[in-house]
Amino acid sequence: MRASHFYIPTLKETPADAEIVSHRLMLRSGMIRKVAAGIYSWLPLGWRTLSKVENIVREEMNRVGSLEILMPGVQPAELWRESGRWREYGIELLRFKDRHERDFCLGPTHEEVITAMIRHEIKSYRQLPVSMYQMQWKFRDEVRPRFGVMRSREFLMKDAYSFHASQSSLEETYGQMYAAYERVFKRCGLAFSAVAADSGTIGGSTSHEFHVLADSGEDAIAVCEKYNYAVNVELAKTLPCTEPRPAPNADLEEVDTPGRHTIEGVSRFLGVDPSQTIKTLVVKGTDGPIALVLRGDHDLNGLKAEGLTEVAEPLEFLDESEFKRVIGCDPGSVGPVGLDIPVFVDYSAAQLSDFVCGANKDGKHLTGVNWERDFFEPRTADLRQVVEGDPCPREEAASDPEGRLVVKRGIEVGHVFQLGTKYSESMNATCLDENGKPVMMPMGCYGIGVTRVVAAAIEQGHDENGIIWPDAIAPFEVVIVPIGYHQSEQVAECADNLYQRLMYAGFDVLLYDREERPGVLFAEVDLIGVPHRIVIGQRGIKKGTVEYKQRAEQDEQELPAENLVDKLTAVISRS
Ligand code: ATP
Ligand code: MG
């Protein structure tokens, strides 16, 4: 491709509303343009990268025997009523009526459509397992569309669905999909982590998310590399302490803490570290209020709290007036001593001695508090969010001081679920088993945010000058920058010649023949991030050499023009 025939509308200024680097660079390099909030057009340069990601995904899906199909973007409400999600899905589902006043939605995902199709098509276990996928634009009316195509309202997803005659068959396909996802992200040149995840509202049990590791990621992942542990922080466990609790040292005392309602305020006022205080949260239980007690510097993990049978689901805190009526003081002064409701204490809080807590009287706290001595031995549970430095919960890591968690940021680019029979049951998708009896088909679903992968790759690959693409998804693999293309016939001839040679050798090559100063040309090719750059100038032509530089490296090399095809074949990774 000649740059003079291509359209690369680069911008010099940083777009004001772009908060993260990938969004800024996608706008500046002319990959995308905003049409409305969370809705973008893909320009030629962006489209090339998007297509390359799409092709890698397609190849890996085909490789595991998933069959490509295409389902409609507009979906009838009846199917969503059958599954129950017309009501459950909430405001992200964009609903509308056609001119016959019939309800429709723009598909945010396709479980309903595929389940309705399969229940008509598949009659016998002999036709199973079956796995199908599509590349389809989804619409989700995201509450906060942001970060460009990272969290947009319209986005390209590869979604695959599998149907089975048994759970073991589902598990086998799940394993193959998991491996296919690993290959996809590896081939895209991304550093990623497969993370055990909460399967959220879609239901089912086993699920993994694939995260590209980047500081701008919206998700937090607890990782212990030594023991190969990676889970969404929401799901990371903490363990009961194995050491004995320190013996009480201080006497129990009631102290005035006027106007101090927060852990921060109370600890500063009393001159103690927040980790020596505890906070008591009162939530609704299945049989009246329940107190959940945590160390002052820790945060409650709502999912874990909901996991207690005594706690009502969804988790709900007592409102202020109810709190006052049941507990008798402000929420800022509550504590477990003398509290007349069931109390659950987080493992770490249960390990404290001589701590500070609310006195159940407005403006008063207790110091020198000790479990058992001032209270009974607490009922303990894992209630808190993990923090950096917590022990790795894997059994093998027990008592290894190096088995510690670090918390990393991740961008979720893919998700695999074992859905089980959630949709098969609600939508009555059965097939006949060996004995001619109808059975529910267990189902799996597997998504990749194709447009998000493009943004995630930029979050991982960039510097102050622009994008640094991995070879496999770069819009062009090689860029030729001639110095003086429009002034020197010799340069033009040499550049055209090399351009032809590289094209015939099968490279995706861009000849940067725009009529601009060299400084401008270099700045532009750095911005668009082509991974391999060849500069052709008068001086080199005389010697029969060109200058070669990789986008990610500082130094350039002088190479004989003759050997360039061999050199590029050797360095460009094609998986
Ligand atoms: P998130 O937690 O980021 O909202 P999700 O759990 O809603 O994601 P899924 O329903 O599992 O996502 O969709 C499959 C994939 O589609 C996700 O892994 C993600 O890569 C991508 N995706 C989801 N929502 C968006 C969005 N608003 N913009 C771009 N990609 C998205
Ligand atoms: Mg979502």
Side-chain angles (χ1 to χ4, degrees):
M1 182 63 67
R2 288 173 179 273
S4 55
H5 294 179
F6 201 64
Y7 186 61
I8 311 180
T10 57
L11 307 174
K12 292 213 174 52
E13 302 79 44
T14 301
D17 63 338
E19 295 168 64
I20 59 169
V21 71
S22 57
H23 188 192
R24 285 198 290 274
L25 290 175
M26 288 181 84
L27 290 169
R28 282 193 53 212
S29 64
M31 292 178 68
I32 54 166
R33 287 291 181 260
K34 181 171 162 182
V35 175
I39 300 179
Y40 291 85
S41 288
W42 287 74
L43 302 189
L45 194 73
W47 175 247
R48 288 181 73 95
T49 285
L50 184 60
S51 306
K52 288 192 179 184
V53 176
E54 192 181 321
N55 276 336
I56 291 175
V57 176
R58 178 173 284 120
E59 281 173 16
E60 293 303 334
M61 287 298 105
N62 293 346
R63 201 185 327 196
V64 290
S66 199
L67 309 174
E68 186 162 9
I69 57 169
L70 184 57
M71 292 181 275
V74 172
Q75 305 182 8
E78 288 84 84
L79 294 179
W80 287 75
R81 291 203 175 98
E82 269 190 60
S83 73
R85 286 207 292 184
W86 187 254
R87 206 169 18 82
E88 281 166 21
Y89 205 93
I91 52 173
E92 278 186 24
L93 187 65
L94 183 63
R95 301 150 214 251
F96 57 95
K97 288 186 192 296
D98 70 2
R99 67 199 153 81
H100 305 291
E101 290 291 302
R102 284 191 280 253
D103 289 319
F104 285 86
C105 64
L106 278 187
T109 175
H110 281 70
E111 282 83 6
E112 281 77 4
V113 177
I114 190 117
T115 306
M117 180 169 88
I118 293 293
R119 75 181 165 193
H120 285 117
E121 301 298 327
I122 302 287
K123 302 288 177 217
S124 156
Y125 73 97
R126 285 180 217 278
Q127 294 166 282
L128 296 174
V130 63
S131 163
M132 296 186 183
Y133 77 97
Q134 64 172 348
M135 296 284 170
Q136 169 67 289
W137 290 88
K138 308 291 186 210
F139 193 93
R140 295 184 183 177
D141 207 351
E142 294 277 352
V143 181
R144 268 193 84 196
R146 57 190 181 141
F147 303 158
V149 300
M150 190 77 89
R151 181 166 296 285
S152 50
R153 295 199 294 163
E154 194 178 46
F155 59 97
L156 184 60
M157 196 202 287
K158 181 286 300 175
D159 45 329
Y161 306 88
S162 67
F163 292 82
H164 306 268
S166 66
Q167 173 64 22
S168 61
S169 162
L170 167 59
E171 283 165 20
E172 192 181 329
T173 299
Y174 185 85
Q176 291 163 353
M177 280 288 184
Y178 185 104
Y181 274 42
E182 289 185 314
R183 285 195 296 273
V184 165
F185 300 121
K186 193 152 179 266
R187 285 182 62 187
C188 288
L190 300 170
F192 68 94
S193 199
V195 173
D198 170 31
S199 45
T201 52
I202 297 195
S205 47
T206 303
S207 129
H208 286 87
E209 291 170 355
F210 288 78
H211 285 265
V212 163
L213 305 174
D215 293 341
S216 60
E218 288 183 288
D219 293 288
I221 311 162
V223 181
C224 169
E225 256 151 36
K226 184 160 182 193
Y227 291 95
N228 196 19
Y229 179 84
V231 310
N232 196 309
V233 270
E234 291 285 306
L235 292 194
K237 292 196 180 77
T238 66
L239 302 171
C241 253
T242 45
E243 317 258 296
R245 185 168 54 221
N249 232 333
D251 293 331
L252 182 68
E253 244 182 276
E254 187 176 291
V255 294
D256 284 331
T257 49
R260 271 54 177 201
H261 303 295
T262 60
I263 291 289
E264 216 199 343
V266 171
S267 353
R268 204 173 315 130
F269 183 72
L270 297 176
V272 296
D273 195 84
S275 64
Q276 268 306 117
T277 70
I278 61 165
K279 59 181 162 202
T280 305
L281 306 167
V282 183
V283 300
K284 294 190 177 164
T286 44
D287 189 22
I290 307 270
L292 304 175
V293 175
L294 299 147
R295 228 168 67 179
D297 57 333
H298 286 151
D299 290 322
L300 180 72
N301 176 316
L303 277 180
K304 291 179 180 178
E306 277 179 359
L308 295 176
T309 46
E310 290 83 351
V311 170
E313 226 185 307
L315 187 69
E316 214 182 318
F317 291 91
L318 258 56
D319 65 34
E320 213 160 309
S321 64
E322 213 178 342
F323 194 100
K324 194 99 199 176
R325 189 172 52 76
V326 177
I327 312 292
C329 66
D330 283 336
S333 304
V334 59
V337 181
L339 203 58
D340 199 18
I341 56 175
V343 177
F344 286 89
V345 180
D346 179 67
Y347 294 139
S348 304
Q351 197 59 17
L352 293 182
S353 46
D354 302 333
F355 57 85
V356 173
C357 67
N360 297 325
K361 292 178 199 157
D362 287 347
K364 296 208 182 287
H365 276 76
L366 300 175
T367 62
V369 190
N370 284 279
W371 302 114
E372 207 177 8
R373 190 193 69 185
D374 308 321
F375 190 76
F376 40 83
E377 188 59 38
R379 218 170 358 160
T380 57
D382 176 14
L383 291 176
R384 70 176 171 91
Q385 199 86 325
V386 292
V387 291
E388 190 110 3
D390 275 337
C392 171
R394 277 227 198 287
E395 233 168 79
E396 314 85 271
S399 74
D400 178 354
E402 282 178 23
R404 298 277 156 184
L405 296 180
V406 287
V407 177
K408 295 192 177 179
R409 306 300 303 180
I411 300 166
E412 183 197 320
V413 285
H415 203 164
V416 292
F417 288 99
Q418 289 183 28
L419 286 170
T421 53
K422 178 176 155 83
Y423 293 91
S424 312
E425 270 173 40
S426 58
M427 300 185 70
N428 198 27
T430 58
C431 73
L432 298 179
D433 69 7
E434 298 95 315
N435 307 315
K437 252 188 38 217
V439 286
M440 292 294 166
M441 287 181 274
M443 178 180 172
C445 76
Y446 320 88
I448 291 182
V450 183
T451 40
R452 187 181 279 181
V453 167
V454 176
I458 300 175
E459 288 297 322
Q460 249 178 22
H462 65 267
D463 62 13
E464 62 286 0
N465 298 324
I467 303 169
I468 307 176
W469 288 114
D471 291 348
I473 62 172
F476 296 95
E477 291 169 312
V478 186
V479 61
I480 301 170
V481 187
I483 305 300
Y485 188 86
H486 300 270
Q487 289 76 38
S488 155
E489 240 169 67
Q490 230 184 346
V491 168
E493 196 187 307
C494 182
D496 287 345
N497 194 305
L498 186 63
Y499 171 57
Q500 296 291 342
R501 269 208 295 148
L502 293 182
M503 245 189 339
Y504 285 120
F507 293 106
D508 218 351
V509 49
L510 178 66
L511 174 60
Y512 223 76
D513 59 352
R514 291 187 359 95
E515 198 164 358
E516 284 285 2
R517 286 182 294 111
V520 174
L521 299 182
F522 287 136
E524 284 187 4
V525 298
D526 272 358
L527 176 60
I528 66 175
V530 180
H532 303 272
R533 187 186 82 182
I534 294 158
V535 177
I536 295 179
Q538 285 285 5
R539 215 156 31 97
I541 292 177
K542 288 201 191 96
K543 291 193 280 178
T545 60
V546 296
E547 274 173 12
Y548 166 74
K549 180 179 166 305
Q550 292 191 11
R551 175 68 182 82
E553 313 249 301
Q554 283 304 323
D555 301 325
E556 41 194 34
Q557 307 167 32
E558 195 170 320
L559 295 177
E562 287 292 290
N563 302 348
L564 215 53
V565 169
D566 291 345
K567 168 77 185 178
L568 290 174
T569 308
V571 292
I572 293 181
S573 62
R574 291 218 166 119
S575 46

